[in-house]
Amino acid sequence: MQDEGWCPLKLCFLHVVPRLVVCLWRSEGLIFKLFHFSMRWYSLPIDPDFQKKRKVVGEHQGHSVWGPVEPPKKLGIHGTNVAVDWDVCTGDGICIEVCPVTLFDWVDSPGHPNSEKKSDPAREKDCIKCLACETQCPTQAIKIT
């Protein structure tokens, strides 16, 4: 995870204590800027009620895409039974590694503030609902329904 302007200290801090950043953000304006800058790495988890609150706005690789979608900044939620919020996904790939039925593929997402690649539930119909991807995702970007 390399990016312009990120020093190793910030990367380490953000990975080791992300919740501390949130706590400090709520009480100090200076930390708010740091948290806002780091938002590319830590966002809110996927909304478990996204199917009630969002609408299908398209299709990608045979699965639904739930809006809003405004590329490259907002890419929506991909999939229904295996849903990946591309605006939360940081592209670390743990879901690809732990999935026993290899239903995820990498997809490029140039210009997105969180990552240049996303995990795509390309074969969501193959899901066996083991929840390995959902429980291992560090940003909680995945919801199995």
Side-chain angles (χ1 to χ4, degrees):
M1 291 191 310
Q2 297 178 0
D3 198 1
E4 69 284 348
W6 283 85
C7 73
L9 178 62
K10 283 185 181 176
L11 280 175
C12 180
F13 176 70
L14 291 174
H15 287 291
V16 174
V17 251
R19 295 191 198 292
L20 179 62
V21 174
V22 175
C23 293
L24 292 173
W25 166 69
R26 290 183 177 157
S27 63
E28 297 290 333
L30 180 64
I31 303 301
F32 172 77
K33 290 179 183 174
L34 176 63
F35 179 77
H36 182 68
F37 186 66
S38 70
M39 197 62 108
R40 63 184 308 152
W41 303 110
Y42 293 98
S43 300
L44 294 173
I46 188 171
D47 182 355
D49 297 321
F50 75 90
Q51 293 178 22
K52 295 176 187 171
K53 297 177 182 176
R54 296 182 180 215
K55 294 183 180 184
V56 174
V57 296
E59 189 173 295
H60 177 256
Q61 303 281 340
H63 60 262
S64 297
V65 178
W66 301 76
V69 174
E70 299 167 14
K73 302 287 184 200
K74 290 186 178 183
L75 301 177
I77 296 175
H78 284 242
T80 301
N81 299 322
V82 179
V84 180
D85 190 333
W86 279 16
D87 298 318
V88 176
C89 176
T90 57
D92 82 336
I94 191 71
C95 54
I96 293 172
E97 292 175 26
V98 300
C99 180
V101 294
T102 62
L103 68 86
F104 296 99
D105 284 338
W106 282 120
V107 173
D108 291 330
S109 57
H112 192 269
N114 279 355
S115 67
E116 296 285 316
K117 61 182 179 176
K118 302 294 180 183
S119 178
D120 189 44
R123 292 169 293 284
E124 75 172 327
K125 292 178 179 139
D126 294 344
C127 181
I128 59 172
K129 299 188 187 281
C130 69
L131 304 180
C133 59
E134 183 177 318
T135 58
Q136 294 296 315
C137 179
T139 58
Q140 299 175 346
I142 301 172
K143 182 69 185 161
I144 306 297
T145 59

